[in-house]
Structure formats: C-alpha cells, structure tokens
Amino acid sequence: MKRGHLDQIEGLRGYLALWVALGHGLQLSGFLSLPGPLGVLLRGEAAVAIFMILSGFVITHLLLQGRETYSQYITRRFLRLFPAYALCCAIGYLILGPWAHIVQTVSWQDLPGWAEYSRGVAEIASQTHNNTAPHALLHLFMLHGLIPDELLPRAAMTFLPAAWSLSLEWQFYLVAPLILRAFGSPVKTVLCAVVFALLLVAYEKGFLGSYPIPATLAATSGYFAIGILSRLLYPELEKLNYSPVAIAAASAFLMLAFSSEFLPLSIWLVFYSFLVWGRTSPVAGSVFSFFFATRIPLFLGGLSYSLYLIHRPIQVILGDLALGVADLSRPQMVAIQIAAIIAAVPAAYLIHRFVELPGIALGKRLTRREQVKLA
C-alpha cells in the first residue's frame, strides 16, 4: 500500500473534524434540525462512524506492517491519545459551567428540541462537577464509554463530551491485535464474529445497561470491522479494474434508496473506491488527490485529532463572551461559532505541536528501549 494513500486518509480526517465542529456550532446556535440535504451538516455521529472505519483500516495496516510486542503497541497507542486528551478534558471541565449558562440564557428557548439539549448539557455539567472523582478515575483509564447510566450517569460524556469516541477508540486499540490474529484462522474468525454479534444483541436488548450514546465497542464493532476488512481486502481489490466513479454512484444510490443510516458506509465506499481504483481513472483520481492529499487538507488532517478535541471548548468560550456583550440572534451565534472553528485551528496546531507530537515521540523512545532490552 502506497504512502500517498495514507496521506489521503489523513486528508479525510481533516474534513471529518471540521464536519463535527460545524455540527456542534449549529446545535449551539439553535439549529437542531435542518431541511433536506443540509441536515447532513448536523450528522456528526456519521463523521465519528467514519473515524471508526478509518481506525479499523489504519490500525490493521500498522499491525500488518509492524513487528511490535503487544506492550510496545499499546504503549505507543496510549501515548498517541492520552496527552492531548487529558489536556482537553481539563479544559472541558472548566467550560461546562459557561456551556450550561449559554444554553439556559439564549433567546431561542422555545425551539423544538432545545429543552432536551439544554437538559443534557445541565446533566453533563452536574455529573462532572458533583461526581468528579469516579468520572475522573474512569477518564484516567479512558474506559468511561463502557459504563452504563445505571452505574454512573452520563459517564461517556463528562468533562469533554467529544471524548466518548476516544474511549471507544481505546477499547478498539486494546483488542485490535487479538481480532487481527483471529483472522488468520477461519474458526477463530467465525468465533470472533459470533462474540461481537452477541455483544451487539446484548447492547440492543439493554442487557448491558442504558447508554445515551453508543460509546461501547459492543455497539459499534461493525464500523471497525468494515475498516479491518477494507484493509485486508485492499491488495486483492487493487488488482481488479473497477471504475471509482461507478462505485461512487452506486454508493450514493445505496444511501438515497434505502436510508440515511447508510450515510457513513456510503461516504466510505466512495472514498475507498477512489483509494483503491483512482489510478484507473486519471482525471477523477487527480481530483480526488487534490481534495485529499494536497497541502491544506493534509495540514488539517495532521491537526484533526486536536481539532476534534478542542473545537467545542473554544466555541463555548467565544459564545459565552459574545453573550456577555449582547443578546445574539441565531445567525449571529452561527457567525460566532464559525469564528470559533477558525480560532480552533491555531489552538489545535499548538496542542499538536507541543502535546501530541511529544507524546508520540515519548512512545517511540519507550518502545525503542524495550526493543533494546529484548535484543
């Protein structure tokens, strides 16, 4: 698999982070629903689902290419996630009060769905501030997404709501080498599929408890599986000669003809078809590379993790400051939120430069020392 293809995946990550940020900004501005195709802007959960597929793809690629022990692998994965996550969770703790203030004081209190949105924010703030110790302990181990409401309400969303997906990523990282090893045996592959199918049924039936958001691997293993299979099948599919444009059209039909629930899968099929067969369509392939592997998308892709984590705190801070000066209309709040996304880019760069990259470098140093000791 060519390095350029990983670059294109990096570019996609940048767009997904912006998608999530824009959706959150629109929500805070009172746009909890939008007509027609514009509704896609609010589908941040679809962007997160694609992030899961990408994780399945990339982690499978790394495990296939690497020669690491499990301890080396998990150390590097932990230090890839945790430093920026911990910093942004601390910032998230500080902005929950202002966030609750915004949703309780804006002038669009009577909008359909706003009371539920406001109540959710208030519950997250209350749990974080009044039940800090157990939530902090779970966040320390990045296992907060596993906990149902019956044991600890809003566990997946406290401190920094976006971090629910980080817990999900970590759950996948913990078991990914075992899953990939199972694919080496038909019996183990079937057994693995049966185990996760049973977990999904248990989740859907409520046997595992109540989860306001699907932050447990039992609920979302299918997306990671799509990513794993996409990487495993990549070498064989690349030998075939299909039109990425035709695959893209079929994917769009899949979404339109059946359900918008197919949105993450449809977007992935479009992207994946160009990733695999873009070389067979020179013009379309060049356009694809322009949108995903040129300077700006690659820059945003490199910052995507930090941007995903820090955008909402900045949106809340700027929104609260603006409300302290004047009452805002919904369009004015949208403008503030877009400004916040723009401001989040340099903030994400600083976190990436001074927190993410040192964490990654530390992980490399620690695993290199382990390799020396083993040698």
Side-chain angles (χ1 to χ4, degrees):
M1 183 176 180
K2 297 178 181 178
R3 171 66 209 178
H5 293 170
L6 294 179
D7 288 341
Q8 290 159 351
I9 288 173
E10 190 86 331
L12 176 59
R13 282 196 178 111
Y15 290 117
L16 294 175
L18 289 176
W19 183 2
V20 173
L22 182 58
H24 286 160
L26 289 169
Q27 287 176 341
L28 194 58
S29 304
F31 293 93
L32 302 179
S33 64
L34 289 171
L38 291 176
V40 170
L41 298 177
L42 297 172
R43 294 287 306 277
E45 81 285 354
V48 174
I50 300 168
F51 270 127
M52 296 177 208
I53 296 173
L54 289 178
S55 287
F57 188 97
V58 173
I59 293 300
T60 300
H61 177 76
L62 294 177
L63 289 170
L64 290 174
Q65 299 298 312
R67 296 293 183 270
E68 295 180 312
T69 65
Y70 183 83
S71 63
Q72 291 171 328
Y73 154 80
I74 208 63
T75 296
R76 293 209 311 130
R77 288 295 94 200
F78 180 82
L79 290 170
R80 171 68 183 89
L81 289 183
F82 191 78
Y85 155 86
L87 172 64
C88 292
C89 280
I91 297 171
Y93 178 87
L94 298 176
I95 62 92
L96 285 173
W99 190 14
H101 175 259
I102 290 174
V103 299
Q104 292 166 7
T105 58
V106 290
S107 60
W108 45 89
Q109 298 292 320
D110 57 345
L111 283 176
W114 188 258
E116 182 180 355
Y117 176 76
S118 179
R119 183 168 55 254
V121 174
E123 289 175 359
I124 292 168
S126 175
Q127 275 293 317
T128 304
H129 292 147
N130 299 327
N131 211 4
T132 306
H135 286 294
L137 183 62
L138 287 168
H139 278 69
L140 183 64
F141 293 98
M142 292 192 285
L143 295 176
H144 47 287
L146 285 172
I147 309 302
D149 267 6
E150 289 83 355
L151 293 180
L152 192 62
R154 295 284 183 174
M157 304 285 283
T158 51
F159 288 96
L160 186 71
W164 72 267
S165 65
L166 272 296
S167 176
L168 189 54
E169 291 278 338
W170 180 242
Q171 294 167 49
F172 171 66
Y173 290 170
L174 288 171
V175 301
L178 302 177
I179 295 172
L180 193 59
R181 194 172 301 170
F183 277 91
S185 162
V187 174
K188 291 180 180 178
T189 300
V190 172
L191 180 61
C192 185
V194 169
V195 168
F196 280 102
L198 291 174
L199 285 172
L200 177 60
V201 171
Y203 171 85
E204 295 289 347
K205 296 294 185 180
F207 297 150
L208 303 180
S210 302
Y211 292 86
I213 196 163
T216 170
L217 193 59
T220 54
S221 58
Y223 290 118
F224 292 105
I226 291 169
I228 292 171
L229 291 172
S230 296
R231 178 58 186 89
L232 292 176
L233 294 174
Y234 184 94
E236 297 305 317
L237 293 175
E238 193 178 27
K239 297 175 185 177
L240 304 177
N241 189 20
Y242 288 126
S243 166
V245 178
I247 300 295
S251 301
F253 173 79
L254 175 71
M255 183 186 69
L256 294 174
F258 294 96
S259 170
S260 63
E261 295 304 312
F262 284 98
L263 179 62
L265 179 59
S266 297
I267 292 175
W268 172 247
L269 287 175
V270 171
F271 180 86
Y272 185 66
S273 64
F274 280 96
L275 196 69
V276 178
W277 300 298
R279 71 189 190 287
T280 65
S281 180
V283 175
S286 296
V287 172
F288 175 72
S289 294
F290 173 80
F291 279 105
F292 291 99
T294 47
R295 186 173 180 180
I296 292 177
L298 287 178
F299 173 75
L300 291 173
L303 305 182
S304 59
Y305 178 53
S306 291
L307 182 60
Y308 176 76
L309 291 173
I310 198 60
H311 72 270
R312 179 169 258 159
I314 293 179
Q315 287 175 319
V316 168
I317 291 168
L318 291 190
D320 194 50
L321 288 174
L323 281 172
V325 175
D327 290 334
L328 298 176
S329 66
R330 292 163 71 196
Q332 287 172 330
M333 181 61 92
V334 170
I336 296 294
Q337 295 302 295
I338 292 175
I341 295 172
I342 295 171
V345 172
Y349 173 79
L350 292 174
I351 295 172
H352 175 71
R353 174 69 178 81
F354 295 106
V355 181
E356 267 191 83
L357 292 181
I360 293 170
L362 176 60
K364 290 180 179 178
R365 287 198 301 271
L366 291 176
T367 53
R368 193 177 299 122
R369 289 177 186 172
E370 184 178 337
Q371 287 173 337
V372 171
K373 289 179 181 179
L374 291 174

